[in-house]
Amino acid sequence: VLVFPIMWATLEKSQQITLAKPVISLLSKEYHQRQAHARPNVIQALLEGISLSQPQPKIPPELIKFVGKTYNAWHIAIPLLESHSVIFPDETRCSDSLSELYRLIAEDDVMYGLWRKRCTSDLTRTSLTLVQAGHWDRAEELLGEATRQAYQVTVQVSRGEAALW
């Protein structure tokens, strides 16, 4: 696990960029499926090494989410996606993947907090707060109003926020 970050730190920026593609390819190989139920497994070790690297290689967030849930590497994938969200704040794919992992492990409060930071509509923000507090009826009314406003184009929202409704 510690060999990868040490090796990564010795590379020049151009070499790191070149090596990122084979790392992505390695993480997405199907033959790792045989070890999916082993603890620890190769994917967990690779993700741990990647998470310890500085600077971190840019791995597609969908791939991190997939290997995190498939190879029981939640505990590595979530902090890795959190750091990717900080490093690449305009990349909505990171936040989408992170909120999906939070949802899958039933960390609803953290997922709602992430969405509250991301959403552009005040109605969505208020609805999320109401859902967390258990006021489902009022939240449903507000989300219905938000949907009407989005269809009337009085409010611009992202695709992810609209899917959240």
Side-chain angles (χ1 to χ4, degrees):
V1 171
L2 294 177
V3 173
F4 185 84
I6 293 169
M7 180 273 315
W8 188 260
T10 63
L11 298 175
E12 295 177 17
K13 180 82 170 160
S14 62
Q15 292 173 316
Q16 290 175 344
I17 291 169
T18 304
L19 187 59
K21 289 179 183 171
V23 168
I24 292 168
S25 178
L26 178 63
L27 285 172
S28 59
K29 292 294 182 188
E30 192 175 322
Y31 56 74
H32 293 301
Q33 288 285 341
R34 287 180 266 171
Q35 284 194 347
H37 300 292
R39 303 293 176 261
N41 58 47
V42 172
I43 295 293
Q44 290 173 343
L46 288 170
L47 279 182
E48 184 78 27
I50 289 168
S51 70
L52 295 173
S53 301
Q54 292 300 326
Q56 288 181 349
K58 188 167 185 343
I59 308 294
E62 297 86 1
L63 178 60
I64 296 171
K65 177 184 77 170
F66 171 76
V67 298
K69 67 181 184 178
T70 304
Y71 297 97
N72 199 29
W74 312 87
H75 61 291
I76 306 165
I78 288 174
L80 189 57
L81 283 169
E82 287 171 344
S83 68
H84 271 54
S85 292
V86 171
I87 296 168
F88 312 108
D90 297 333
E91 180 103 24
T92 59
R93 293 170 34 211
C94 290
S95 297
D96 289 342
S97 295
L98 185 57
S99 69
E100 175 68 11
L101 281 181
Y102 284 143
R103 186 189 65 76
L104 290 170
I105 63 169
E107 283 290 348
D108 294 333
D109 289 335
V110 181
M111 182 191 71
Y112 291 139
L114 180 64
W115 268 107
R116 225 183 338 257
K117 276 179 57 178
R118 292 181 55 197
C119 64
T120 56
S121 168
D122 288 334
L123 289 172
T124 305
R125 206 173 282 112
T126 305
S127 297
L128 289 171
T129 303
L130 289 168
V131 167
Q132 273 187 287
H135 302 286
W136 299 98
D137 294 337
R138 181 71 180 123
E140 186 178 19
E141 290 172 17
L142 286 178
L143 288 175
E145 179 61 30
T147 304
R148 280 188 289 286
Q149 286 183 9
Y151 281 120
Q152 295 171 354
V153 192
T154 57
V155 166
Q156 291 290 334
V157 294
S158 67
R159 233 187 228 173
E161 187 172 346
L164 180 66
W165 296 345

